[in-house]
Amino acid sequence: MHRKLLIVVCTGLLLLTGCSINIGSGNLDIAPVNEPVAIQPLLSNYEDYWAAMRHFDFDYINRQEVGAEYQEFTRGLKLLIDDEYAVAEPLFMNLFETTTDTLLRRHAAEIMGVLYTRQDKWSEQIALNARAPHGFDEFNTVNMAVAFAGSQPEEYHFPENPIVLPAKLSLSGTPVVEVMVNGIRKKFWIDTGAEMTVLSSVLAKECGVDVIGNDAAQVGTATDIVIDMWPGIIKDFRIGDLLIENHPVIILDKRDLEVRLFKIFRIVKVDGIIGWNAIRNLNMILDYKNLKVTIAKPQKRTVERRNFHFVSQPIVSLTDTLGKPLYFFLDTGANTTCLYEPVLMKVDTIQAKSGKALVGGAGGSQFYKTTEIPNLTIIFDQHRLNYKKLSARGSGENGFFFLDGILGSDFAKNGRLILDFQNGRCDLKMPE
């Protein structure tokens, strides 16, 4: 039940995402992959089973002797990555109910919370919280589940044809489209980095979106600042001709949705965000080059390989040039791609050097020490993303897993980013 909302915003002149300082787009060159890169096992020397699992090294159980319960837990993690929730859910529940290993029980509960969040199973989250180990819900997010469990079920009404909307880019490079909130016209960011659709307190009041209950939950932001949030429901939420009824949202104080430089000068003001709990239910094409957003009803299809997953956050599976797996949080609200410290165990760091960056997000901005990695190439499906410089900062811990980095919107700025989470695919289409 530990939630972490990431709202990352920046400008083109001042780095606010924690990534390398770049003016313009000269940091990244994209080229096609000439030959497919075969995925290789990590084979990293993690100190124990849990360190390996939390860094996606599932092959660990083939190299080390582990018990049957740990083998089953690993199988469940693979099911989670493959979006096989119907099989994973009873597996983790059985471990939670039968194991005498307190750490295994706690981690099983943590994964159950992820599964329930993904499926909007609010009542199940409440019941899990009551049975989970002490301190499981340190941010009091069960209040969100209680609020949403008592609301009318959410419903999506798609038009017959795809919706094509004109878009603009915010100062941070995030696509912005027009929406209707209970009949009132507003402009919202499209941000996969926000776990749920977000309203400022001022906009919520203006649009008649009431706070449910009296108690706030808390949430961590991109700058590791903890802020208060309140649950709400948009009765009538329209994105073009798409109608979403009874859409769960979180409401933040308007001051927490302003990024200020040195806490004085306001750089970016955000009124509302279309968050992941809406995006995951859509087939969405973000056309950065032509400033258009296309939305359609997802259609189930056969895919060769899933590269788009949910593990507390939407993540994309990538590799380095040798096929070593990498897992990046996909954040369309981040201006540039950046790294987390776990990736330093996987890539060449001989030429790395120290740096610092100003990171901005909901709640304020902070300076961080970074490790700068020059000339790093990441393989994203059929594309080579050749970065002249990327910076790493922070542990990358989010929920159970440790991630390798944040995939920002910079890699898609000259093309189209296709988000089809229902089929487990995130694709980039570049101009011919």
Side-chain angles (χ1 to χ4, degrees), residues 64-204:
Q64 303 289 337
E65 185 175 345
V66 301
E69 286 185 332
Y70 284 10
Q71 292 183 27
E72 188 73 348
F73 189 90
T74 304
R75 186 170 75 89
L77 294 180
K78 292 179 180 178
L79 291 167
L80 174 65
I81 295 295
D82 290 337
D83 206 26
E84 297 286 349
Y85 302 133
V87 185
E89 188 175 317
L91 183 155
F92 284 110
M93 179 55 76
N94 181 64
L95 286 173
F96 174 73
E97 292 180 331
T98 61
T99 187
T100 58
D101 184 324
T102 56
L103 186 56
L104 178 62
R105 186 171 189 265
R106 185 178 187 88
H107 286 319
E110 193 169 8
I111 299 300
M112 289 294 295
V114 171
L115 291 167
Y116 290 153
T117 296
R118 164 65 183 88
Q119 301 171 87
D120 292 342
K121 291 188 173 182
W122 310 119
S123 297
E124 288 85 344
Q125 284 198 16
I126 297 167
L128 175 66
N129 186 81
R131 300 177 59 194
H134 176 71
F136 176 67
D137 185 21
E138 60 179 313
F139 285 164
N140 199 31
T141 55
V142 69
N143 282 344
M144 308 295 287
V146 170
F148 297 141
S151 303
Q152 293 296 315
E154 182 181 30
E155 294 186 13
Y156 283 70
H157 302 277
F158 290 89
E160 184 175 338
N161 297 314
I163 303 159
V164 181
L165 301 173
K168 295 182 178 180
L169 296 181
S170 71
L171 288 176
S172 69
T174 307
V176 181
V177 296
E178 194 170 83
V179 303
M180 299 285 284
V181 180
N182 290 335
I184 299 177
R185 198 177 307 275
K186 293 293 178 182
K187 293 187 183 297
F188 273 36
W189 294 23
I190 299 175
D191 187 357
T192 58
E195 185 179 337
M196 300 187 72
T197 295
V198 180
L199 305 182
S200 74
S201 53
V202 170
L203 185 143

Side-chain angles (χ1 to χ4, degrees), residues 208-284:
V209 180
D210 297 327
V211 170
I212 304 173
N214 299 316
D215 296 326
Q218 292 183 310
V219 63
T221 73
T223 50
D224 300 319
I225 297 171
V226 176
I227 60 177
D228 289 335
M229 63 178 180
W230 293 266
I233 296 287
I234 300 179
K235 294 295 186 183
D236 187 309
F237 187 43
R238 296 176 188 260
I239 311 172
D241 291 331
L242 168 66
L243 167 61
I244 308 175
E245 292 184 296
N246 306 313
H247 183 49
V249 301
I250 62 174
I251 300 169
L252 302 182
D253 188 286
K254 70 180 185 66
R255 292 169 295 182
D256 289 327
L257 282 176
E258 295 176 351
V259 176
R260 292 180 180 271
L261 180 60
F262 308 123
K263 300 182 180 180
I264 300 175
F265 305 106
R266 190 175 75 185
I267 304 296
V268 179
K269 174 177 175 290
V270 184
D271 284 328
I273 295 171
I274 301 172
W276 176 246
N277 65 324
I279 297 170
R280 73 187 186 201
N281 295 313
L282 313 175
N283 184 308
M284 178 178 283

Side-chain angles (χ1 to χ4, degrees), residues 10-24:
C10 68
T11 71
L13 298 178
L14 173 65
L15 173 71
L16 291 172
T17 62
C19 316
S20 54
I21 299 178
N22 299 306
I23 299 175

Side-chain angles (χ1 to χ4, degrees), residues 381-425:
D381 199 34
Q382 300 300 313
H383 304 278
R384 291 174 60 94
L385 309 182
N386 304 307
Y387 288 92
K388 292 181 181 178
K389 181 174 65 175
L390 285 177
S391 294
R393 65 115 184 147
S395 69
E397 181 180 8
N398 188 274
F400 176 79
F401 290 103
F402 286 86
L403 302 181
D404 295 306
I406 296 175
L407 192 61
S409 59
D410 53 347
F411 81 107
K413 285 298 176 60
N414 293 315
R416 293 179 295 142
L417 183 61
I418 303 172
L419 307 178
D420 184 9
F421 178 73
Q422 296 299 316
N423 289 300
R425 289 298 305 175

